[in-house]
Amino acid sequence: MSGVERRDISFPSGDATCQAWHFRSGAQSAPCVVMGHGFGLTRDCSLERYALRFAEVGLDTLIFDYRHFGESGGEPRQLFAINQQLQDWAGALKTARQLEGVDSNRIAAWGTSFGGGHALVAGVRDGQVAAIVAQCPMMDGLAAFIGAVRYAGLGAVTRMTGHALLDLTAGLLGKQGSRLPIVAEPGQLAFMSTPDALPGFTAITPNG
């Protein structure tokens, strides 16, 4: 990594612990970019490439896994909970300010896709971040729903809604929820099944 130091760190969030990487640029009193990924993804899905480029210009980076995903704690696994993920963001921003070598007054929130929406909300709630970067953020649930109907069809969206209701019922009963793939080929049931969804997802995952 060309002299860039990557440290494994962790921080508490809710009833679990989030695992993170701190990339140290080597700069004195460096700004720090806190990075969070999109829907269902983890810190090892290509975010390290950004961290290395940031380090070249003197920026530290903190990249974390949400609770229930990756190396972070939390049961059940693969639970997507918006409010919990926003708590994770708050914990990550707080942790970044306490990192050795980081200027606590120069913290940025950087998120992509669903994480882009999170970065905007978490940054505003925090009220002290120096910058927010939202890459193709998820901003409008209704627009996303209409888009899904257009490319997947009303039948597929209805089936997705059925799975959501089963998942909600199972959760209320303390049972294992319903699970669906994040991406799939067009015509298959998944959260995203546009022609570019599966190849795009595969390109950024560790086994892609």
Side-chain angles (χ1 to χ4, degrees), residues 12-191:
S13 186
D15 58 356
T17 299
C18 290
Q19 300 297 325
W21 289 325
H22 174 206
F23 291 83
R24 299 188 65 176
S25 65
Q28 296 296 320
S29 192
C32 185
V33 182
V34 177
M35 303 186 74
H37 227 313
F39 181 75
L41 293 174
T42 50
R43 58 185 161 147
D44 55 353
C45 294
S46 300
L47 293 185
E48 184 171 344
R49 301 176 189 178
Y50 291 90
L52 296 178
R53 293 299 299 270
F54 291 155
E56 292 178 2
V57 294
L59 304 177
D60 281 24
T61 309
L62 175 69
I63 306 175
F64 67 98
D65 280 339
Y66 298 110
R67 273 179 284 170
H68 307 284
F69 288 91
E71 298 298 321
S72 291
E75 293 291 340
R77 304 308 295 167
Q78 284 77 57
L79 173 64
F80 181 78
I82 292 175
N83 287 336
Q84 288 190 12
Q85 292 192 349
L86 288 172
Q87 291 173 5
D88 299 342
W89 266 97
L93 292 169
K94 178 180 178 181
T95 299
R97 292 190 172 96
Q98 300 170 347
L99 292 173
E100 180 182 354
V102 166
D103 182 347
S104 62
N105 293 314
R106 293 192 292 169
I107 305 297
W110 188 106
T112 184
S113 191
F114 222 109
H118 284 343
L120 288 166
V121 175
V124 170
R125 288 182 177 179
D126 179 85
Q128 300 179 59
V129 296
I132 299 173
V133 178
Q135 176 178 281
C136 56
M138 169 63 176
M139 298 292 293
D140 189 329
L142 178 59
F145 175 81
I146 293 172
V149 172
R150 287 174 176 166
Y151 75 74
L154 184 59
V157 173
T158 301
R159 290 167 62 196
M160 291 280 289
T161 302
H163 275 277
L165 294 174
L166 287 173
D167 183 75
L168 177 61
T169 302
L172 292 174
L173 296 175
K175 297 181 179 181
Q176 176 64 54
S178 177
R179 295 186 179 183
L180 289 172
I182 296 175
V183 295
E185 297 283 359
Q188 298 179 354
L189 191 64
F191 286 99

